[in-house]
Amino acid sequence: EKMRLRCLVGSRYNVGKGEIRLVSTRFMNRGHNAHYLVYLLENLVAEARGVAAPSQQHQQQQQEAVA
C-alpha cells in the first residue's frame, strides 16, 4: 500500500523526510485549494488501497438509487 502510494505521487514524495508534498494553485482562494488537496489526498489513498475513491463510491450510490 505504501509503495503503491509512493508510485502514485512520484517526485512529490520526499524519501528523507517521509513526507508527501502537495501544492495547489488551482483556485484563487487558499481555502478552496486546501479543500481540493484534501480531496486529492483521499483519492490517492483510496487508489493506493485498491478501493473505489470516495467520489466514485458516491457516484455508484447515486446510480444504484436511480436504478
Side-chain angles (χ1 to χ4, degrees), residues 3-64:
M3 289 302 294
R4 189 163 179 202
L5 182 61
R6 287 181 190 177
C7 289
L8 288 170
V9 298
S11 63
R12 293 172 186 89
Y13 180 71
N14 182 322
V15 179
K17 293 182 179 181
E19 295 177 347
I20 297 171
R21 181 178 177 165
L22 298 174
V23 178
S24 174
T25 57
R26 179 177 222 158
F27 302 99
M28 297 280 294
N29 184 302
R30 193 172 170 193
H32 290 142
N33 283 317
H35 286 288
Y36 173 69
L37 289 172
V38 169
Y39 163 81
L40 187 63
L41 184 59
E42 287 174 347
N43 284 298
L44 284 166
V45 170
E47 181 68 27
R49 289 182 176 162
V51 297
S55 61
Q56 290 173 338
Q57 290 173 348
H58 181 69
Q59 287 175 355
Q60 289 172 350
Q61 289 171 352
Q62 286 181 335
Q63 288 173 352
E64 291 170 0

